[in-house]
Amino acid sequence: MLKELFNDILSIEDVEGVMLFSFEGELVFKEVLSPLVDESDNMESLGLFIASLKGIREAELVFEKARLYVRKTSSGYVMILMGVFAPIAMVRLNCDILLPSLKKVATTKGWRNLFKKKK
């Protein structure tokens, strides 16, 4: 279900992945398109980074060969991994469109129910 919500963002040129973290730093969702970005062993160390984001609504971190866009939601933080050529205006627009859907999913079903198998 969450993957369907993030499909528009993942289809933007030069977007390499999307992660959703709770405010406590727990990884709720992760979809990485580039095998070079997938560093599953380092996910635990992101908890401290998430804790340092308190009060931040959005941030864009620019590195030599990549960018990271962080957006606060009603239930945590969305992190979008991008290359240097990703159109940030499209990413922001898609996040604006996505936020109400994430809020609806979190309040009606809760995060835990998203991962239960459907009968």
Side-chain angles (χ1 to χ4, degrees):
M1 172 130 186
L2 279 176
K3 186 174 181 175
E4 294 168 5
L5 291 175
F6 289 112
N7 273 341
D8 288 339
I9 292 174
L10 289 166
S11 66
I12 296 173
E13 182 183 349
D14 213 17
V15 168
E16 298 174 356
V18 174
M19 294 182 287
L20 177 64
F21 289 91
S22 69
F23 288 119
E24 293 78 33
E26 183 180 328
L27 183 63
V28 176
F29 173 79
K30 174 182 160 188
E31 183 69 27
V32 179
L33 304 176
S34 171
L36 299 174
V37 177
D38 193 12
E39 291 288 330
S40 299
D41 297 338
N42 295 329
M43 289 299 140
E44 294 83 27
S45 62
L46 285 174
L48 183 59
F49 177 71
I50 298 297
S52 70
L53 293 174
K54 277 196 171 162
I56 293 177
R57 187 178 151 267
E58 72 178 326
E60 182 182 359
L61 304 170
V62 180
F63 302 98
E64 186 176 338
K65 296 182 180 180
R67 290 187 291 170
L68 176 65
Y69 179 69
V70 181
R71 183 71 180 261
K72 184 178 181 180
T73 70
S74 59
S75 54
Y77 290 97
V78 173
M79 293 189 180
I80 301 168
L81 310 165
M82 305 173 286
V84 292
F85 299 112
I88 192 65
M90 285 296 295
V91 172
R92 284 188 175 125
L93 177 65
N94 277 284
C95 281
D96 290 341
I97 294 168
L98 175 76
L99 290 180
S101 300
L102 279 177
K103 186 175 184 177
K104 190 185 311 181
V105 168
T107 56
T108 58
K109 295 184 179 179
W111 294 122
R112 296 183 198 271
N113 290 334
L114 287 174
F115 301 106
K116 289 185 180 178
K117 290 184 179 179
K118 294 182 180 179
K119 294 180 182 179

